[in-house]
Amino acid sequence: MAPRTRRGSFPTVVIERETESEESSSSEEEEEDLEPEVQEEEEEEGEELAEVENGEKGEEGLGSKKKERVPITIALTKVCKVCKRKGHEAGFKGATYIDCPMKPCFLCKMPGHTTMACPHKVATEYGVIPAPNRNTRSSLDYVFRRQLRPDIPAIKTAFIVPDQVDCAVIRYHSRRVTCLEFHPTNNNILLSGDKKGQLGVWDYNKVHEKTVYGNIHNCILNNMRFKPANDETIYAASSDGTISCTDLETGISSPLMNLNPNGWQGPSTWRMLYGMDINSEKGLVLVADNFGFLYLVDTRSNCQTGEAILIHKKGSKVVGLHCNPLQPELLLSCGNDHFARIWDMRRLEAGSSLQDLPHGRVVNAAYFSPQSGCKILTTSQDNRIRVWDSIFGNLNSPSREIVHSHDFNRHLTPFRAEWDPKDPSESLVVIGRYISENYNGAALHPIDFIDISTGQLVAEVMDPNITTISPVNKLHPRDDVLASGSSRSLFIWRPKEKSEAVQQKDEKKIVLCGSEKKGRRKFGGVDSDNESDDDTFSSKGKNFKSKKLRTKPTPKSLKAKR
């Protein structure tokens, strides 16, 4: 028996085109180029309202007239999704992104040109004054050059760039990776935190030996540091307002401080911890929250010492803390109030910063240089990497500003430019790139190695199988290894001459975890933390085969051998 259908007249469909002479085509190429959008014009809406009113009156009076349906208009004209104007389009065309001509450049934020024609995209060193040509007349700067500069070699050594994926664990975490940390004594142990608060321990020389502790925090694990006196203990700061002290051997965690003892009382009182560092000289764990306050925790008593200190604008996040490696009394902080600040820990008071370093937008990270501690490197949301060559010189303006694409939208871990701790010249940094590039028809997001002394792009590393963005990157303090976190996966990069053969890597060095099912759509979009297309290791690349990826992972209870 044939199914019954609802009787009634369907509305007529009117198709509008850009020109009257434009003919319809059934080819797939033209259908991909045209993006139909259903639009109801104001006049037709007015007519529809009038007809509804007339219909209501007719039902009240006669009750015999039927409502007429207004035709639906399908407009095939090109409409920009950015400025909503007709005549041009913006967005991805294949693997190439086309800018809206009515908006400023997305890279340098200046009007007059598009991102593809931006001079900073053509050459990252555009407009950057090299370090040797910058004239500084400060007396303290001369002291720095005479006493501390001899430790830095006059001739730069060749940069060693890890540019090939050596091993990877796919969908290791259940949410996106937020931070990475190498073990201080065991060279092949990598620790990672994610948005769900999980802590992962992975031995990437034995790729199947991995452990995930999921009961340490309840939400985002923002930062972690090893205890200086015990390399098997790690401190972690989370958005649940707690600091945890975890023993990596047993997996037992104990809270050091809880800023929300009464639980959720509303967003106005909920405190989240972001920036964290350890002052080994004083035995203190320093953490900062989303209200601009700094907290000090004694590592010997595991208790908070003193009162909270307001170090940034009240109500703004303090996302970064870093103690100077040679002078631990100096503290560098950065936050959402568009400032990075230098503090003397011997006189920590509200408004007593030694120097305020202004930025155009939110400052994602700020670090002293790893060996001399005399340089400052900051990453800001205005697509600028700023460098100060000497903390003893003029700090009113940066020595160099390097334009780089790291201004991101939601659902991404903030980009942070990280020093190479092995570079004696303190000039090589690594940072992920937000704007994709067209590499043989695929939209890839490379990881950039930049020489901050000149602003030149030393290398951009990528893999055709990694189509996701890699905002979290960490260089090994002793080996020529780069660890990157892309969505829920972890990747280990080595130089090509030091990595193993591709055939061996296919068989042994790629581990696939988790489910391959697609995540559910939420609020009309894709949840980037659950969507499998966003965090799978693509099987279409040349270097890896899908059959080799489907190796069975070891149980999560397996501990990494030290």
Side-chain angles (χ1 to χ4, degrees), residues 48-67:
E48 184 180 356
L49 294 175
E51 289 176 1
V52 171
E53 293 177 358
N54 294 335
E56 291 177 354
K57 292 180 180 179
E59 288 178 357
E60 293 176 0
L62 302 176
S64 61
K65 294 184 179 181
K66 295 182 178 180
K67 300 177 183 179

Side-chain angles (χ1 to χ4, degrees), residues 433-505:
R433 190 188 304 179
Y434 180 71
I435 295 180
S436 62
E437 300 292 342
N438 187 353
Y439 292 99
N440 298 325
L444 303 181
H445 302 266
I447 302 172
D448 294 332
F449 287 80
I450 300 175
D451 184 354
I452 60 170
S453 63
T454 60
Q456 292 182 353
L457 181 64
V458 177
E460 49 183 12
V461 300
M462 78 228 39
D463 192 285
N465 299 281
I466 306 176
T467 58
T468 51
I469 305 173
S470 303
V472 186
N473 301 281
K474 193 83 172 180
L475 284 166
H476 200 285
R478 296 171 296 277
D479 292 342
D480 297 327
V481 171
L482 167 67
S484 63
S486 183
S487 188
R488 298 185 292 168
S489 306
L490 299 179
F491 300 92
I492 296 296
W493 304 71
R494 295 182 188 270
K496 289 183 178 179
E497 60 272 10
K498 293 186 179 182
S499 61
E500 295 183 1
V502 175
Q503 292 80 6
Q504 296 180 1
K505 178 175 63 176

Side-chain angles (χ1 to χ4, degrees), residues 232-277:
E232 297 300 329
T233 303
I234 191 166
Y235 297 104
S238 171
S239 292
D240 58 8
T242 63
I243 303 175
S244 64
C245 178
T246 306
D247 188 344
L248 298 180
E249 288 288 347
T250 62
I252 299 175
S253 176
S254 59
L256 299 187
M257 183 177 66
N258 187 2
L259 298 181
N260 305 299
N262 299 323
W264 176 259
Q265 302 292 331
S268 60
T269 58
W270 185 261
R271 294 184 178 271
M272 298 179 284
L273 296 177
Y274 287 93
M276 184 180 73
D277 201 6

Side-chain angles (χ1 to χ4, degrees), residues 292-304:
F293 287 91
L294 173 70
Y295 303 86
L296 306 178
V297 178
D298 193 341
T299 58
R300 294 161 293 187
S301 62
N302 290 339
C303 296
Q304 179 180 349

Side-chain angles (χ1 to χ4, degrees), residues 174-346:
S174 58
R175 294 294 186 269
R176 58 177 166 86
V177 178
T178 55
C179 56
L180 296 173
E181 194 75 19
F182 284 100
H183 196 277
T185 57
N186 198 330
N187 290 342
N188 54 327
I189 298 295
L190 175 67
L191 277 74
S192 57
D194 69 359
K195 183 182 176 182
K196 198 176 180 180
Q198 297 177 342
L199 175 64
V201 182
W202 180 37
D203 186 345
Y204 53 82
N205 278 359
K206 304 173 183 178
V207 292
H208 294 279
E209 296 192 3
K210 56 191 184 300
T211 306
V212 177
Y213 300 110
N215 57 350
I216 298 177
H217 292 285
N218 298 323
C219 55
I220 307 176
L221 199 158
N222 292 309
N223 232 314
M224 53 186 173
R225 294 289 187 273
F226 277 92
K227 187 176 182 179
N230 184 4
D231 57 5
E232 297 300 329
T233 303
I234 191 166
Y235 297 104
S238 171
S239 292
D240 58 8
T242 63
I243 303 175
S244 64
C245 178
T246 306
D247 188 344
L248 298 180
E249 288 288 347
T250 62
I252 299 175
S253 176
S254 59
L256 299 187
M257 183 177 66
N258 187 2
L259 298 181
N260 305 299
N262 299 323
W264 176 259
Q265 302 292 331
S268 60
T269 58
W270 185 261
R271 294 184 178 271
M272 298 179 284
L273 296 177
Y274 287 93
M276 184 180 73
D277 201 6
I278 295 180
N279 189 321
S280 56
E281 188 176 89
K282 296 181 178 295
L284 294 175
V285 178
L286 293 82
V287 289
D289 66 2
N290 58 324
F291 287 92
F293 287 91
L294 173 70
Y295 303 86
L296 306 178
V297 178
D298 193 341
T299 58
R300 294 161 293 187
S301 62
N302 290 339
C303 296
Q304 179 180 349
T305 61
E307 298 293 332
I309 306 167
L310 183 66
I311 60 174
H312 280 262
K313 182 180 178 181
K314 192 173 183 179
S316 64
K317 295 179 184 178
V318 182
V319 296
L321 295 174
H322 190 219
C323 294
N324 193 290
L326 296 185
Q327 299 177 353
E329 297 85 5
L330 293 180
L331 174 66
L332 181 62
S333 65
C334 62
N336 284 15
D337 58 352
H338 302 185
F339 277 94
R341 306 179 193 273
I342 304 176
W343 304 84
D344 188 347
M345 291 194 61
R346 295 165 295 187

Side-chain angles (χ1 to χ4, degrees), residues 330-372:
L330 293 180
L331 174 66
L332 181 62
S333 65
C334 62
N336 284 15
D337 58 352
H338 302 185
F339 277 94
R341 306 179 193 273
I342 304 176
W343 304 84
D344 188 347
M345 291 194 61
R346 295 165 295 187
R347 193 171 65 93
L348 270 176
E349 299 175 358
S352 64
S353 59
L354 301 178
Q355 186 71 38
D356 296 340
L357 311 177
H359 291 70
R361 288 182 63 187
V362 173
V363 188
N364 293 334
Y367 301 108
F368 289 110
S369 54
Q371 297 189 18
S372 68

